């Protein structure tokens, strides 16, 4: 079977594509908009901004989230900032430079047209957020302040202390709640999507579970928008919120949506190291810390001395040594991989040996403790609270942790998946970050998709659907609903010996080991053997107590872990197929003499989009070739 | 470390609840409070006893999803949220009381989980600046004095957890409302709706069954985002101005 993917990228010069596309897109007349029902799943930056904007346009929106309020979506945890090519610092920034940095940062595995659009829209996002009252940092003259962020040489990052994600999300959330008050959006909190409903091949509804009462119900609409975030929790330990999961996108995949580049997972270099097996999640320390902190490990293996007693001459500031022009500000994938390397050599620090120092003593000497406190006070406090160590006096210990997933459902330029009528926004899609996301770009993409892209591209689909409304009474809805019920009953009836968390942790350790910061064919094949066995055991031996018709967190978790157990296999399969190293995907078999990632543009310059072919049969690979007209493919160098 | 837990168990909103005793055994001192409960839940599940339900999500103190009253204090000892409490704060052998946030406007759901959607309703009443997407002026066309921007940020830091309500003898949501009214009212963008915002949000708060403010300052003492009670004075001023304005226009 062969399927071809049409990216629907408009023709014409790069910088004209988006305005040309908007000019040529279909429109839905204002009097027709209230006739269209739009389901949005997820209320983070992408979901909330889309719901607010589509509601404001007059569409009839239903928005679902599993949290108790839209304001709690995980976008809220983003610390560092949001990029925009405003060039307020007059330091040579431009839309093209932001585009180029993002393409290069992604190691040339994303679409030029999508990334350029993102860079263009970055300007509008800042305007929008400021108008909403997002309290960005300002200079004494009252104008907006910027800082630089990993992987670039200009200052284009806008920030609100260490709480940028929170403030941007609250802006979108408030706009959303305004639309709720206006009656254009109806919010369904504590409600989880458990399946997608297709009618004649089009996405026309969802099956959900009310997490308070356990009631299962179906909702019909003219189109479905997924903004359900990433799948980082497949690794069990990650910086994601406990509830983040792959269920919505995985269910859509099983209904026919192609899943793109699942092996592209970002490991963030600056997280607090793991302290023990009881640990439930990892905590990120903002990347902005690398602006003033210097990363080092002792020269000697297993050096028992406390950091203060190790003289300068016996320290290895390995990022500064290996990458003199970017130093501590190299992109995330490179910083993470180098941390792993020095720890693998036995030079790691802390009780587990899995950590490196991030040292602020020079910055404190240069700027004074007060300045450092003003810049990072909340982060230092957080660090002290968790580790009981004072980073003003002793270097922080950091280690990489899973943070973001660049892969996601495949979408075309309109953000529509391979299922007609199913749109996918934000981290849940694959589209803009290639094989590695640059810092402060996730917030930009979520808001670009939600505020500015989908409100214009969704009409291209909806305009073809006038008069084609379907009702939730159709048999397709009943069938999907009963499948969901069966699955829940099955989970509750196993009453085995192992808890859901035990399975989740086992899966996480396995994929971290085999499909984490470095991968090779042997390890991936091993994982591909072990995952189905673990999944089999899960369905024989998991213990989920209580019943389905009540508030039951173990049951929620069980459904999510069941999906992770299927998804993990696809992630490893994708990693095995891609024999090159690129971005965050480091194949041990493909490295340069200096141990850097070695891309193979001749054989792997494509998006891997995987088609579901049924349980226990390998997914089918469909390639979208990537062509570059405006940038020259080059080996990334940050030296 | 080992602890005796006295945990509020309640099957659902209509069933009465009560405290039940549990042992928390072999807890590492580096574990967080919620990880301690995770460990207890793992052992309950192993014994086929229903695990203790509690809310949490980001577990880094920012999403506002976690709650819990620990030994009578919303979010427990120290600054910050429940998820940022670490067991090293307690003494081996301690007895720890764990309850949900209690307030008339926060109805119980199960065990330690309560419904805080009343906060969303208050925001719906006016906690925003209306700006149609795409219609915003150039961001730097409107300078905001750094002092005002910083103060607005301090108010905007509210995580909407509801601890202020749980701590208040009157279950008032004044600190929550004041934080939003101040955040938006301190900025030039928020002036057009400043007065209607204050009056609508306060009225909604009253209608939802939150009590009034009696200046106990328990809210400020407990707030994990360290929102200052002086913002309540700012709210009162906006509210009074709006009320006078309203009286004049009727």
């Amino acid at each position: 079977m062969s399927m071809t993917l049409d990216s629907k990228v408009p023709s014409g010069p790069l910088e004209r594509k988006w305005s040309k596309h908007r000019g040529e897109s279909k429109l839905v007349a204002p009097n027709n908009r209230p006739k269209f029902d739009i389901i949005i799943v997820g209320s983070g930056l992408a979901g909330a901004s889309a719901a607010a904007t589509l509601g404001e346009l007059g569409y009839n929106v239903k928005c679902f989230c599993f949290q108790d309020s839209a304001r709690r979506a995980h976008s809220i945890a983003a610390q560092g900032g949001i990029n925009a090519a405003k060039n307020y610092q007059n330091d040579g920034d431009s839309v093209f430079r932001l585009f180029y940095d993002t393409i290069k940062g992604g190691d040339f595995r994303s679409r030029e047209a999508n990334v350029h659009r993102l860079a263009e829209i970055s300007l509008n996002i800042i305007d929008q957020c400021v108008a909403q009252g997002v309290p960005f940092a300002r200079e004494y003259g009252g104008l907006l302040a910027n800082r630089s962020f990993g992987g670039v040489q200009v200052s284009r990052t806008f920030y609100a202390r260490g709480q940028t994600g929170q403030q941007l999300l609250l802006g979108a959330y408030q706009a959303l709640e305004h639309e709720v008050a206006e009656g254009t959006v109806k919010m369904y909190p504590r409600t989880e999507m458990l399946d997608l409903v297709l009618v004649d091949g089009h996405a026309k509804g969802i099956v959900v579970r009310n997490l308070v009462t356990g009631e299962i119900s179906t909702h019909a609409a003219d189109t479905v928008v997924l903004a359900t975030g990433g799948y980082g929790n497949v690794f069990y330990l990650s910086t994601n919120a406990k509830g983040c999961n792959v269920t919505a996108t995985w269910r859509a995949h099983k209904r026919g949506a192609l899943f793109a580049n699942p092996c592209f997972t970002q490991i963030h270099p600056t997280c607090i190291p793991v302290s023990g097996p009881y640990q439930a999640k990892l905590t990120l320390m903002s990347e902005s810390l690398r602006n003033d902190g210097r990363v080092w490990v002792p020269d000697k293996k297993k050096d028992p001395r406390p950091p203060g007693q190790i003289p300068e001459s016996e320290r290895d500031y390995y990022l500064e040594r290996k990458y003199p022009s970017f130093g501590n500000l190299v992109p995330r994938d490179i910083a993470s991989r180098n941390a792993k390397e020095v720890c693998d050599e036995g030079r790691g620090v802390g009780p587990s040996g899995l950590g490196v120092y991030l040292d602020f003593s020079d910055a404190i000497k240069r700027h004074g403790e007060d300045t450092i406190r003003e810049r990072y006070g909340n982060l230092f406090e957080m660090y002290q609270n968790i580790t009981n160590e004072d980073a003003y006096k002793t270097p922080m210990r950091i280690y990489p942790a899973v943070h973001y997933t660049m892969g996601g459902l495949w979408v075309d330029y309109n953000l529509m998946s391979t299922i007609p009528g199913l749109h996918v926004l934000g981290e849940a899609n694959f589209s803009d970050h290639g094989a590695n996301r640059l810092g402060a770009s996730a917030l930009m993409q979520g808001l670009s998709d939600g505020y500015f892209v989908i409100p214009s591209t969704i009409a291209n689909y909806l305009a073809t659907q006038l008069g084609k409304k379907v009702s939730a009474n159709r048999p397709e809805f009943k069938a999907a609903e009963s499948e969901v019920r069966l699955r829940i009953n099955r989970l509750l009836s196993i009453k085995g010996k192992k808890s859901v968390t035990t399975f989740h942790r086992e899966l996480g350790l396995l994929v971290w080991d085999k499909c984490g910061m470095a991968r090779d064919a042997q390890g991936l094949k091993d994982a591909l053997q072990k995952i189905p066995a673990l999944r089999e055991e899960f369905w024989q031996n998991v213990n989920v107590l209580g019943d389905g018709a009540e508030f039951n967190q173990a049951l929620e978790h069980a459904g999510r872990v069941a999906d992770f157990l299927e998804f993990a296999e696809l992630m490893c399969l994708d990693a095995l197929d891609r024999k090159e190293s690129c971005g965050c995907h480091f194949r041990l078999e493909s490295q340069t003499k200096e141990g850097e990632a070695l891309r193979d543009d001749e054989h792997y310059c494509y998006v891997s989009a995987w088609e579901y072919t049924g349980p226990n049969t390998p997914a089918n690979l469909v390639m979208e070739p990537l062509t570059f007209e405006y940038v020259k493919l080059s080996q990334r160098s940050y030296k | 470390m080992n602890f005796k837990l006295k945990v509020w168990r309640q099957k659902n909103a209509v069933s009465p609840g009560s405290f039940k005793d549990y042992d928390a055994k072999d807890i590492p001192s580096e574990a967080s409070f919620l990880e301690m409960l995770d460990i207890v839940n793992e052992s309950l599940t192993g014994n086929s006893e229903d695990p203790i339900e509690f809310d949490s999500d980001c577990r880094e103190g920012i999403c506002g999803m976690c709650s819990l009253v620990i030994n009578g204090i919303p979010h427990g000892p120290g600054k910050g949220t429940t998820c940022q409490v670490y067991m090293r704060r307690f003494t081996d052998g301690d007895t720890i009381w764990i309850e949900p946030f209690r307030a008339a406007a926060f109805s119980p759901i199960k065990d330690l989980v309560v419904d805080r959607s009343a906060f969303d309703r208050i925001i719906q009443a006016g906690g925003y600046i209306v700006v149609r997407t795409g219609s915003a002026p150039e961001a730097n066309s409107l300078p905001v004095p750094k002092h005002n921007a910083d103060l607005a940020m301090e108010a905007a830091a509210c995580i909407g957890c509801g601890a202020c309500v749980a701590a208040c003898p009157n279950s008032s949501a004044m600190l929550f409302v004041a934080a939003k009214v101040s955040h938006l009212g301190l900025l030039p963008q928020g002036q057009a709706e400043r007065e209607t915002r204050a009056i609508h949000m306060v009225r909604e708060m009253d209608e939802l069954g939150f009590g009034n403010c009696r200046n106990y300052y328990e809210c400020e003492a407990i707030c994990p985002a360290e929102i200052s009670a002086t913002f309540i004075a700012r709210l009162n001023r906006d509210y009074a101005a709006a009320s006078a304005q309203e009286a004049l226009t009727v």
Side-chain angles (χ1 to χ4, degrees):
Chain A
M1 107 179 93
S2 83
M3 182 175 186
T4 50
L5 292 168
D6 178 4
S7 66
K8 301 221 169 68
V9 168
S11 58
L14 185 63
E15 63 281 0
R16 296 277 307 140
K17 284 180 195 288
W18 175 230
S19 60
K20 175 170 177 278
H21 189 68
R22 269 183 304 162
E24 290 169 357
S25 283
K26 297 191 171 89
L27 292 173
V28 175
N31 62 320
N32 277 331
R33 289 181 205 148
K35 295 177 194 159
F36 285 113
D37 298 310
I38 299 176
I39 283 174
I40 297 178
V41 187
S43 67
L45 285 179
S49 59
T53 305
L54 292 166
E56 185 180 271
L57 285 167
Y59 294 108
N60 194 20
V61 178
K62 289 180 175 178
C63 183
F64 298 79
C65 68
F66 68 77
Q67 296 90 345
D68 76 332
S69 163
R71 67 180 291 151
R72 310 216 196 276
H74 190 57
S75 307
I76 204 152
Q79 297 168 355
I82 178 166
N83 287 330
K86 286 282 195 188
N87 194 29
Y88 285 160
Q89 303 303 315
N90 198 25
D91 58 358
D93 201 8
S94 67
V95 167
F96 186 84
R97 196 179 291 277
L98 174 54
F99 153 76
Y100 182 78
D101 286 347
T102 307
I103 282 269
K104 178 188 171 197
D107 218 357
F108 305 98
R109 289 295 174 265
S110 43
R111 270 187 216 137
E112 279 186 333
N114 286 57
V115 177
H116 198 274
R117 173 173 70 185
L118 178 66
E120 290 171 52
I121 290 175
S122 72
L123 307 172
N124 307 98
I125 294 171
I126 300 304
D127 297 344
Q128 180 68 22
C129 296
V130 165
Q132 286 172 341
V134 170
F136 283 123
R138 287 178 183 267
E139 290 164 356
Y140 281 100
L143 301 182
L144 291 155
N146 293 113
R147 62 183 170 201
S148 73
F149 228 67
V152 300
Q153 290 167 314
V154 293
S155 290
R156 64 160 74 100
T157 303
F158 295 78
Y159 61 100
R161 302 214 174 138
Q163 289 134 275
T164 317
Q166 178 199 31
Q167 292 309 315
L168 294 174
L169 183 62
L170 292 180
Y173 157 78
Q174 287 163 200
L176 170 64
E177 295 300 339
H178 174 236
E179 292 306 312
V180 172
E182 294 288 309
T184 61
V185 179
K186 183 161 167 45
M187 205 49 228
Y188 295 81
R190 291 200 195 266
T191 308
E192 180 164 26
M193 169 181 159
L194 294 179
D195 212 343
L196 179 73
V197 183
L198 267 56
V199 176
D200 301 330
H202 287 236
K204 290 295 173 189
I206 58 173
V207 184
V208 298
R209 180 167 179 271
N210 177 322
L211 301 182
V212 176
T213 63
E215 187 201 355
I216 312 285
S217 62
T218 56
H219 295 261
D222 295 283
T223 182
V224 176
V225 178
L226 299 185
T228 50
Y231 48 83
N233 275 349
V234 66
F235 292 90
Y236 183 65
L237 282 183
S238 83
T239 65
N240 286 5
K242 291 296 286 173
C244 294
N245 66 81
V246 76
T247 290
T249 47
W250 185 250
R251 298 274 124 200
H253 172 65
K254 291 179 81 169
R255 294 283 178 190
L258 266 53
F259 210 113
N261 299 336
C263 81
F264 290 165
T265 52
Q266 182 168 75
I267 318 282
H268 196 292
T270 53
C271 300
I272 299 178
V274 177
S275 70
Y278 57 86
Q279 199 154 349
K281 79 152 281 176
L282 296 173
T283 302
L284 175 78
M285 291 277 101
S286 169
E287 182 162 26
S288 60
L289 290 169
R290 286 199 277 143
N291 283 334
D292 283 301
R294 298 179 69 198
V295 176
W296 64 276
V297 289
D299 279 335
K300 256 201 299 213
K301 288 182 185 178
K302 299 202 163 50
D303 195 326
R305 292 173 291 179
Q309 288 174 22
I310 300 176
E312 276 298 314
S313 59
E314 293 175 43
R315 297 178 177 190
D316 180 11
Y317 294 89
Y318 57 90
L319 291 178
E320 296 170 22
R321 171 171 58 83
K322 290 172 73 175
Y323 309 96
S325 67
F326 279 71
N328 295 296
L329 293 176
V330 291
R332 293 174 176 178
D333 55 333
I334 293 176
S336 292
R337 209 149 44 232
N338 278 279
K340 179 185 188 318
E341 201 178 290
V342 295
C343 292
D344 288 350
E345 288 165 18
R347 298 195 286 147
V349 301
S352 64
L354 294 174
V356 300
Y357 290 125
L358 180 62
D359 195 334
F360 293 88
S361 51
D362 283 347
I364 289 172
K365 260 180 241 151
R366 194 164 56 239
H367 304 295
E369 191 172 315
D370 286 345
T371 306
I372 297 302
R373 193 181 303 277
E374 192 182 302
R375 285 183 193 164
Y376 312 110
N378 61 331
L379 297 171
F380 278 52
E381 244 175 69
M382 198 157 129
Y383 181 80
Q384 172 146 39
N385 189 39
I386 294 173
T387 63
N388 214 15
E389 288 176 5
D390 180 357
Y392 295 104
K393 304 219 153 53
T394 187
M396 280 186 184
R397 286 175 296 111
I398 54 164
Y399 197 67
V402 175
H403 177 59
Y404 185 88
T405 57
M406 284 72 67
L409 291 181
W410 184 91
V411 288
D412 64 17
Y413 194 71
N414 290 319
L415 302 183
M416 191 158 87
S417 71
T418 51
I419 297 176
L422 180 70
H423 297 85
V424 192
L425 317 183
E427 190 179 354
N429 74 28
F430 87 106
S431 73
D432 293 355
H433 305 296
N436 174 51
R437 179 175 66 71
L438 287 182
S441 288
L443 304 181
M444 175 171 69
Q445 188 219 340
L447 291 180
S448 167
D449 286 0
Y451 280 133
F452 295 103
V453 180
I454 196 70
S456 51
T457 60
I458 205 166
N460 285 319
Y461 176 74
L462 288 175
T464 67
Q465 299 298 304
L466 259 178
K468 295 189 184 168
K469 196 166 282 298
V470 302
S471 138
N473 292 323
R474 286 182 62 119
E476 291 89 343
F477 284 83
K478 300 285 166 225
E481 185 181 327
S482 69
E483 275 179 50
V484 165
R485 283 180 197 282
L486 269 174
R487 190 175 143 91
I488 287 175
N489 290 341
R490 219 179 126 200
L491 284 168
L492 288 163
S493 64
I494 299 166
K495 297 280 186 283
K497 297 240 177 314
K498 280 164 76 172
S499 72
V500 180
T501 305
T502 308
F503 281 104
H504 195 176
R505 200 180 279 132
E506 270 180 50
L507 174 69
L509 283 172
L510 178 63
V511 288
W512 176 247
D513 191 30
K514 309 290 184 194
C515 197
M517 276 188 282
R519 301 125 184 226
D520 66 9
Q522 196 191 341
L524 290 165
K525 283 180 187 158
D526 190 25
L528 285 168
Q529 294 281 319
K530 286 180 173 152
I531 295 165
L534 187 63
R535 188 166 64 227
E536 181 75 26
E537 194 200 342
F538 174 89
W539 285 103
Q540 301 291 331
N541 198 26
V542 74
N543 185 16
V544 186
L545 299 172
D547 71 73
E550 63 172 352
F551 188 89
N552 186 340
Q553 291 171 322
L555 176 62
E556 296 166 25
H557 190 199
R560 295 168 191 165
V561 172
D563 288 333
F564 278 134
L565 282 162
E566 295 181 9
F567 169 77
E569 206 177 333
L570 185 68
M571 182 170 79
C572 292
L573 187 66
D574 185 41
L576 182 63
D577 171 75
R578 193 171 283 276
K579 295 186 184 70
E580 64 165 351
S581 294
C582 63
C584 292
H585 173 64
F586 190 69
R587 280 289 295 261
L588 291 166
E589 302 94 328
S590 180
Q591 40 185 316
T592 64
K593 281 197 293 292
E594 299 92 28
E596 300 295 332
L598 180 63
R599 250 186 16 246
D600 178 355
D601 293 327
E602 193 188 332
H603 298 102
Y604 293 98
C605 197
Y606 59 76
V607 174
S608 305
W610 297 89
E611 184 185 15
Y612 184 73
T613 56
N616 304 316
T617 57
N620 180 42
L621 174 62
V622 185
M623 297 175 194
E624 181 199 337
L626 289 168
T627 49
F628 294 89
E629 293 175 61
Y630 295 87
V631 301
K632 194 168 155 290
L633 291 187
S634 59
Q635 194 68 33
R636 267 191 327 166
S637 170
Y638 291 91
K639 295 183 186 277
Chain B
M1 301 175 91
N2 296 298
F3 304 97
K4 298 261 180 227
L5 305 184
K6 295 190 175 287
V7 182
W8 185 263
R9 303 297 308 257
Q10 182 167 359
K11 185 143 182 58
N12 51 43
V14 291
S15 314
S18 62
F19 284 100
K20 292 264 160 51
D21 292 355
Y22 300 94
D23 287 318
K25 289 184 189 154
D26 303 323
I27 307 295
S29 63
E30 307 87 46
S32 72
F33 195 85
L34 295 182
E35 285 165 348
M36 181 275 291
L37 285 180
D38 291 338
I39 294 169
V40 171
N41 274 345
E42 285 291 286
S43 84
L44 287 177
T45 306
N47 297 327
S48 295
E49 286 181 65
D50 283 347
I52 301 159
E53 308 278 12
F54 60 90
D55 269 331
S56 80
D57 202 23
C58 79
R59 296 210 183 184
E60 29 186 277
I62 192 75
C63 77
M65 186 92 175
C66 65
S67 51
L68 306 190
V69 174
I70 301 166
N71 289 340
I73 307 166
H75 288 308
K79 289 197 289 187
T81 54
T82 295
C83 66
Q84 296 304 301
V85 175
Y86 284 78
M87 295 316 291
R88 70 174 89 88
R89 279 191 168 276
F90 295 88
T91 308
D92 196 22
D94 274 359
T95 297
I96 305 173
W97 292 77
I98 310 172
E99 303 166 69
F101 280 2
R102 297 183 198 275
F106 293 164
S107 53
I109 290 178
K110 187 176 179 182
D111 294 345
L112 303 167
V113 179
V114 298
D115 179 357
R116 288 166 288 183
S117 55
F119 271 12
D120 292 331
R121 303 267 301 277
I122 294 177
I123 297 295
Q124 285 157 28
Y128 41 73
I129 292 169
V130 177
V131 45
R132 183 171 286 278
T133 305
S135 64
E138 211 306 309
N140 256 351
S141 63
L142 191 62
V144 180
K146 185 168 163 40
H147 173 74
N148 281 13
D150 288 349
L151 202 55
M153 178 64 220
E154 270 166 39
C158 168
I159 59 172
C161 64
C164 48
V165 176
C168 177
N170 286 352
S171 297
S172 174
M174 276 295 262
L175 192 64
F176 172 77
V177 175
K180 190 47 62 192
V181 163
S182 302
H183 158 211
L184 300 176
L186 276 159
L187 297 170
Q189 303 91 305
Q191 297 311 306
E193 298 154 291
R194 181 168 166 184
E195 284 164 3
T196 50
R197 179 182 305 123
I199 212 156
H200 290 158
M201 289 179 78
V202 169
R203 279 189 189 143
E204 185 68 23
M205 176 186 84
D206 290 345
E207 269 171 37
L208 288 164
F210 292 100
N212 209 341
C213 175
R214 291 283 302 275
N215 298 322
Y216 293 110
Y217 294 138
E218 294 289 342
C219 53
E220 181 186 76
I222 218 72
C223 176
E226 300 180 54
I227 307 292
S228 162
T230 57
F231 290 124
I232 295 178
R234 192 171 275 281
L235 166 62
N236 285 334
R237 195 178 61 202
D238 281 6
Y239 182 81
S243 304
Q245 188 73 32
E246 199 177 59
L248 287 170
T249 47
V250 166

